[in-house]
Amino acid sequence: MELSKRQQQIVEIVKNNGPITGEHIAERLDLTRATLRPDLAILTMSGILEARPRVGYYYPGKPKNKLISEQLKKYVVKDYSSHPVVVKSEMTVYDAICTIFLEDVSTLFVINEHGDFIGVCSRKDLLRASMIGQDIHTMPVNIIMTRMPNLNYILENERVIYAANLMIEKEIDSLPIVSKKDNGNFEVKGRISKTTITKIFVSLFNE
Ligand code: ADP
């Protein structure tokens, strides 16, 4: 429902000052109570405001789940980005395992000599590589990583909810947040993980 400017002003006044009587709302708008009557009737009939005799008008608010979903829709991944752990494609599997422990992450993002994003190497990829009997001290990560065109990534201005969906759909733990370079490839700018989503989820309920 499209509210008129005056109706929006009334809602704001009631939100900030409610419960408030019709007379007091009229006073604040420098209008008479009679002038406001149709607007107040529309606002109460549509459920935007509620009125109680001798108490006045008040803003009932929205159900909490509606508020949460509306808020979530506004969240953009760049505001929740964490530090991406980026390694060169020649790094050995052994060094990649050490990096995963030292940096305490589940996934490494792999770049080439130009800094272009070319792969992802997860814990399971490293575990698999360690089990096949090859020398992990010489084998580079670019042999075992997931590469284009199978990479999933997200641009900085995309929504958190889109990132969450993508991680569920692709069954992966994290996504690199990327920006497009002049050469058409991507640069890794950040990272969003299932842990980030869990933290956001909890914060929404604590607000
Ligand atoms: P783990 O291997 O620790 O369970 P994931 O579930 O994230 O971690 O990874 C599962 C598989 O998906 C791995 O082979 C990994 O290379 C791949 N993978 C992880 N992240 C991505 C991504 N952003 N794009 C494409 N593939 C990915």
Side-chain angles (χ1 to χ4, degrees), residues 179-201:
S179 67
K180 200 152 194 161
K181 295 173 67 174
D182 291 340
N183 66 6
N185 294 327
F186 291 106
E187 180 183 351
V188 179
K189 296 281 200 176
R191 162 178 161 263
I192 188 154
S193 67
K194 284 183 177 168
T195 308
T196 321
I197 305 293
T198 311
K199 282 184 183 159
I200 293 173
F201 179 79

Side-chain angles (χ1 to χ4, degrees), residues 81-94:
S81 176
S82 50
H83 172 65
V85 180
V86 175
V87 302
K88 297 246 175 73
S89 57
E90 316 85 63
M91 179 181 263
T92 64
V93 168
Y94 178 83

Side-chain angles (χ1 to χ4, degrees), residues 129-146:
S130 311
M131 294 169 75
I132 56 175
Q134 298 258 3
D135 185 4
I136 60 169
H137 292 274
T138 55
M139 192 196 324
V141 287
N142 65 23
I143 304 282
I144 62 155
M145 69 187 187
T146 300

Side-chain angles (χ1 to χ4, degrees), residues 120 122-125 146 150-152 171-176:
V120 168
S122 77
R123 286 176 297 204
K124 238 177 280 156
D125 297 330
T146 300
N150 297 321
L151 293 178
N152 300 114
E171 299 184 357
I172 51 178
D173 291 344
S174 67
L175 284 168

Side-chain angles (χ1 to χ4, degrees), residues 150-169:
N150 297 321
L151 293 178
N152 300 114
Y153 45 84
I154 189 150
L155 294 165
E156 292 172 289
N157 285 322
E158 280 181 292
R159 291 187 191 160
V160 165
I161 192 68
Y162 173 66
N165 267 323
L166 197 56
M167 284 190 275
I168 291 171
E169 194 186 307

